[in-house]
Amino acid sequence: MEPDISKEEYIEALKKMKKSPASVVGILGDLVVTGIGTTAGVGVAGKIAAAFGATTLLGSTKLAIILGTTFVTTTPIGWVIGSAAAAGVLAFGTGRLIRSGAKTDTIKKYTIREIERRISKL
Amino acid sequence: MAMSSTEAQSEIEFLNAQAVELDPIDMAVRLINKGLSQDVVTHLIKLCDHVKIIAGKVIQIGKIVLMKIWEFIQANPDLTIGIAVGAALCALTHMVPWIGPKITPIVTALGAAFGAVAGYRLDKKGQGKVFDSGVFGIAADIITLAKKFLKLFSSILIAVTEYVMGTNS
């Protein structure tokens, strides 16, 4: 049986926990969700659409060829299915990683809160 | 060290009775104050969520593993804590294969490459192929130390796993 932890030990651990940064994966997750995801999504949307079925622009294949795949926007079903499939594949791979990082950060926040609660009780 | 399933069950129940008392927050405080990286501590604390039903009883397998790692740390107070935890995890992964996926994030946080190379050299040494000194040689020795310390525990886990597999098939 371990001896009880003293108030000083709780305080020391709390200081160390507050000093260290959030989980790297958690930070990465935030970036992906807020910034990188949006930028990348806008940047590759046309290409994704082309790769998954959108081949016309305003009903014209010639116009689509001239302007390139970045501007291919008008085959709604191909666009939607294509984008969704690509996003799904991407999300599946990164999702677990992000969730893991987010969970780690949640556990850390909970641990800090709990230590603070115990200190206040001692 | 082969163990019968009856013996293993009673051993695991005994360990479970001790592990139930383990407070994850207090354990986190102890590990952080010992100087272990916070990411690693958080991943170790996450282990406490893992339970297994063995012979109709809920066994806090994650807490038991954490308890054993803590025992190894305390038994080797002069070892740097990160190395002690890494060696214990490395030894457990080597001896009890199903533990691997559960502790991968911790091993990653500790720096998997070092442990992997040390483990590889250890295997080679076992085959009489490499007799290494230097940093990796020392790491290999520490893993050997952890394996000796956790041998009985791994025998219990293996016997219990065999029992569970037998009852499920």
Side-chain angles (χ1 to χ4, degrees), chain B residues 3-61:
Chain B
M3 186 179 275
S4 75
S5 66
T6 321
E7 278 176 318
Q9 269 182 63
S10 60
E11 287 284 351
I12 204 87
E13 281 173 25
F14 175 68
L15 289 173
N16 192 49
Q18 291 177 301
V20 169
E21 302 284 319
L22 189 146
D23 182 338
I25 302 292
D26 282 358
M27 183 53 76
V29 168
R30 287 192 176 98
L31 292 168
I32 286 166
N33 286 346
K34 280 245 176 202
L36 191 60
S37 127
Q38 205 179 109
D39 266 4
V40 178
V41 172
T42 311
H43 283 297
L44 281 172
I45 296 309
K46 271 204 281 189
L47 268 183
C48 294
D49 295 342
H50 292 292
V51 293
K52 267 190 187 290
I53 295 174
I54 297 166
K57 288 181 182 161
V58 178
I59 301 294
Q60 309 254 5
I61 199 75

Side-chain angles (χ1 to χ4, degrees), chain A residues 7 15 27-28 34 39-40 44 52 56 59 64 67 82-84 90-91:
Chain A
K7 190 174 182 175
K15 274 184 196 164
I27 295 167
L28 183 70
T34 55
T39 314
V44 299
F52 285 85
T56 62
L67 291 175
S83 301
L90 190 70

Side-chain angles (χ1 to χ4, degrees), chain A residues 1-3 5 9-10 12-13 16-17 20 23 100 103-104 107-108 110-111 114-115 118, chain B residues 21 23 25-30 32-35 38-39 42-43 45-46 49 70 74 105:
Chain A
M1 189 70 190
E2 294 290 330
I5 289 180
E9 285 174 302
Y10 278 125
E12 189 189 339
K16 284 180 183 170
M17 287 195 83
S20 74
S23 157
S100 167
K103 195 178 172 190
T104 304
I107 292 172
K108 185 189 162 184
Y110 168 75
T111 309
E114 185 59 25
I115 293 173
R118 289 181 190 196
Chain B
E21 302 284 319
D23 182 338
I25 302 292
D26 282 358
M27 183 53 76
V29 168
R30 287 192 176 98
I32 286 166
N33 286 346
K34 280 245 176 202
Q38 205 179 109
D39 266 4
T42 311
H43 283 297
I45 296 309
K46 271 204 281 189
D49 295 342
W70 178 245
Q74 283 191 308

Side-chain angles (χ1 to χ4, degrees), chain A residues 31-43:
Chain A
L31 283 173
V32 169
V33 171
T34 55
I36 297 171
T38 315
T39 314
V42 171

Side-chain angles (χ1 to χ4, degrees), chain A:
Chain A
M1 189 70 190
E2 294 290 330
D4 286 342
I5 289 180
S6 67
K7 190 174 182 175
E8 287 70 32
E9 285 174 302
Y10 278 125
I11 291 170
E12 189 189 339
L14 188 65
K15 274 184 196 164
K16 284 180 183 170
M17 287 195 83
K18 284 189 170 173
K19 245 190 236 171
S20 74
S23 157
V24 175
V25 179
I27 295 167
L28 183 70
D30 289 345
L31 283 173
V32 169
V33 171
T34 55
I36 297 171
T38 315
T39 314
V42 171
V44 299
K47 285 180 182 169
I48 292 170
F52 285 85
T55 52
T56 62
L57 180 58
L58 302 172
S60 165
T61 46
K62 279 184 184 168
L63 193 58
I65 292 164
I66 292 165
L67 291 175
T69 50
T70 308
F71 291 96
V72 174
T73 54
T74 57
T75 305
I77 293 170
W79 206 101
V80 172
I81 293 173
S83 301
V89 170
L90 190 70
F92 185 78
T94 55
R96 283 185 65 148
L97 191 69
I98 293 166
R99 271 201 304 279
S100 167
K103 195 178 172 190
T104 304
D105 283 343
T106 308
I107 292 172
K108 185 189 162 184
K109 281 175 196 160
Y110 168 75
T111 309
I112 289 175
R113 233 186 7 250
E114 185 59 25
I115 293 173
E116 283 172 339
R117 194 185 65 80
R118 289 181 190 196
I119 291 170
S120 68
K121 274 190 169 184
L122 285 170

